[in-house]
Every structure is written in structure tokens, then in C-alpha cells.
Amino acid sequence: MSHDVSVIGLYILDVLGRPVDAIPPGGSVAFIDEIRLTVAGTAGGTVVDLAKHGLNCLAVGAVGDDEKADFVLATLARFGVDTTQMQRLAGVPTSASILNIRRNGERPALHQRGASDHFDIIPETLDAVLAAPIIHLGGTGLLAKLDGEPSAKLLAEAKRRGRTTTFDLLGADDNTISLVAPLFPHIDYFMPSVEEAQAISGATTVEGAGRFFLDRGVKQCVFTLGGDGVCFMDNKGAVVRQPAFEIEVVDTTGCGDAFDAGFITALHHKMDLKTALNFAQATAALVATGLGSDAGVQSFDHTLEFMNTAKVKG
């Protein structure tokens, strides 16, 4: 089976509830409107939205040997994602998060690190993992075994084989630069949030952050700016900003992963830059209108219609 994209990295089970105004005291109960289980993570959330957009996807990651793994694998299969390269690891739990979604869409999280920390690419699977024309690596920072030099070797091999590489991470701390710096020369599209980009680079402006990564080998930066839209920069000097869509925010969980999926979908369809950025933002906006990292996204045509009809800020 040929794939349009391989999505490598962090696969999580999310348990989400909304609206959560406060954790009840003691052993008391508070009633909320909605609880969902979703496949999430910088790879998992992305691959589900890619599949909804009609791409033929290969999921490459790890789950544990628990009931959470059953849900993750069954859900990916239900969306038509190829799970033959998902590792099921004995003796460790599936990575999972509990998210308490506030009325304003904020999402304080409780996370259990699990199988994703034990995930690595098995050498004999490399041909299958890197066969697709687009390779997305997502979740650096929560991939203890794959982070750093192993990820750099993986992306370097992808580039050697002529693949387009896209990259995103999860959060940023003092150690992040040491994990991502070896990857920079092998990244075609770096797609973090602007907060992550500035935390890693130490820059105080969007453009300063972009120059930091471009000077170190990244080919193109695509920074999500939350409610302020998106900024694209490349190593030829281009700087393109586009505003976000006006929406009623329910939950921002997975918006970055959805943006990645939208942009990768645009690359697959060879959209021009302006349309690609808009399609990625439309995908993220749809996700923010519901609960969970795949909320709101129905199909390629539905996202295209939203992009062409929704109101833009400003």
C-alpha cells in the first residue's frame, strides 16, 4: 500500500471534559456538559485530521499494552489510518492526558508519560516508514528514546531519499534547543507555536525567532500565532503574515496539530502558499469550535468550504 504521508512520533489518548470551572472539593461531584476520548498528540492528532482530509496515512509510534492502547489503535483504524507500524510495547502504559477545558477554551492538563518515551524506529522498518513523499515528525520533548540525534538521523535519511519533511514539537524548556538543533538542517517546514519558537530561540519577535531557525538550516518556518493568525518565513527572505478566522472558541486542544494536518494536506494538493496557510488555519479553527483535537474537521471539502466562507479577523 502506498501512503501520502508518514506521521511519526507522539500518540496520546486524551480524556477531555468541559466546561470545568473548578475541581470539586473533597469527594464531591460537579456536573459538566461533555466528556470525550480522542487520539491526540503531535503525531496522533495530526494523523486523524489528515485522514479526515482524505490522505492515505501511515501512523508510526507506540502504545502500551493497556485498554488505552485498544482505543487508540481501534480509533486510528476506524479513520482508515494504516497502523502496521504502530508498536505495542509490553510493560508500559499508553501515553495519556486528562484535560479540564475552561469556558474560555484554556486547557490545563494532567499528563502520564508512557509508551511514547520508549518508542524508536526499528531499523528493518525504515523502508516502510520513509516510503511516503511527506514525512511528519511530531512530539519532540516527549519522545525520550527518539529525541535528539536519533531524530536527526531519521530526518536526514528522509531527506536523502528525497522526502519533504515537516516538524513540530510539544512545549519548550531549557533542554529543547539541544534536542532540536541537530534536526534543523533536515527540516523543510518547522511548524511550532510562536511561544515555542521564541522560548527556544530566545528571540522577542516573530521575525527574530524565524531568523534564528533559518540561520541554522531550517528551510521554512510556519509559526502559529494563536488568535493573531500565522507567519511564514523562508530562507530566501520571504515573510508572509495572514490573520486568523473569526470563531467562537470552545477548546484549543489540538489546534497546532490540526494546523500541521491542514498544511500537510495543502502540500499534498500542491496549493499555493497563501491558500496553504489559509487551509491550515481553517483546519485549526474548525478544531477550536468543539471538544478535542479532531473536533469540527469533517472532510477536505468541508474545510475548503469553511476557508472560503468564514470571516477573517480584522
Side-chain angles (χ1 to χ4, degrees), residues 201-259:
S201 65
T204 56
T205 65
V206 178
E207 287 79 5
R211 284 193 296 273
F212 176 90
F213 299 114
L214 295 170
D215 287 346
R216 286 160 177 78
V218 173
K219 306 299 186 299
Q220 286 136 132
C221 293
V222 190
F223 297 150
T224 53
L225 312 179
D228 293 327
V230 63
C231 180
F232 170 91
M233 299 177 64
D234 69 17
N235 57 7
K236 298 181 179 67
V239 179
V240 178
R241 282 181 180 255
Q242 288 186 197
F245 290 98
E246 279 195 6
I247 55 165
E248 181 100 15
V249 174
V250 171
D251 170 27
T252 58
T253 303
C255 286
D257 308 330
F259 182 93

Side-chain angles (χ1 to χ4, degrees), residues 72-93:
V72 169
L73 296 175
T75 301
L76 291 173
R78 179 162 55 86
F79 285 117
V81 175
D82 184 345
T83 60
T84 55
Q85 296 301 325
M86 287 294 293
Q87 301 169 20
R88 188 155 189 166
L89 306 178
V92 295

Side-chain angles (χ1 to χ4, degrees), residues 25-250:
S28 56
V29 175
F31 296 97
I32 59 177
D33 295 341
E34 191 177 2
I35 294 174
R36 283 196 72 205
L37 304 181
T38 65
V39 175
T42 326
T46 300
V47 81
V48 168
D49 290 330
L50 282 164
K52 286 187 171 187
H53 280 151
L55 273 69
N56 191 342
C57 304
L58 178 68
V60 186
V63 292
D65 57 358
D66 51 16
E67 76 290 344
K68 297 186 290 293
D70 295 337
F71 175 85
V72 169
L73 296 175
T75 301
L76 291 173
R78 179 162 55 86
F79 285 117
V81 175
D82 184 345
T83 60
T84 55
Q85 296 301 325
M86 287 294 293
Q87 301 169 20
R88 188 155 189 166
L89 306 178
V92 295
T94 300
S95 303
S97 296
I98 299 173
L99 296 106
N100 302 286
I101 310 304
R102 297 184 174 125
R103 291 182 190 272
N104 65 357
E106 291 177 344
R107 47 190 171 94
L110 303 169
H111 181 70
Q112 179 189 23
R113 298 183 75 138
S116 289
D117 268 343
H118 302 271
F119 162 65
D120 198 359
I121 302 295
I122 301 168
E124 53 266 32
T125 69
L126 197 61
D127 285 345
V129 167
L130 297 182
I134 301 174
I135 306 298
H136 178 69
L137 174 61
T140 293
L142 286 177
L143 301 170
K145 198 169 183 181
L146 188 65
D147 278 346
E149 197 57 39
S151 290
K153 290 178 179 177
L154 177 68
L155 292 181
E157 180 61 20
K159 290 309 301 173
R160 191 188 71 80
R161 297 179 184 221
R163 312 305 183 222
T164 296
T165 57
T166 62
F167 176 74
D168 199 357
L169 65 162
L170 189 64
D173 57 28
D174 293 342
N175 188 47
T176 303
I177 184 63
S178 66
L179 298 180
V180 297
L183 281 59
F184 292 154
H186 316 300
I187 297 172
D188 291 319
Y189 296 93
F190 182 30
M191 302 189 289
S193 69
V194 67
E195 292 85 4
E196 291 165 337
Q198 289 177 320
I200 296 167
S201 65
T204 56
T205 65
V206 178
E207 287 79 5
R211 284 193 296 273
F212 176 90
F213 299 114
L214 295 170
D215 287 346
R216 286 160 177 78
V218 173
K219 306 299 186 299
Q220 286 136 132
C221 293
V222 190
F223 297 150
T224 53
L225 312 179
D228 293 327
V230 63
C231 180
F232 170 91
M233 299 177 64
D234 69 17
N235 57 7
K236 298 181 179 67
V239 179
V240 178
R241 282 181 180 255
Q242 288 186 197
F245 290 98
E246 279 195 6
I247 55 165
E248 181 100 15
V249 174
V250 171

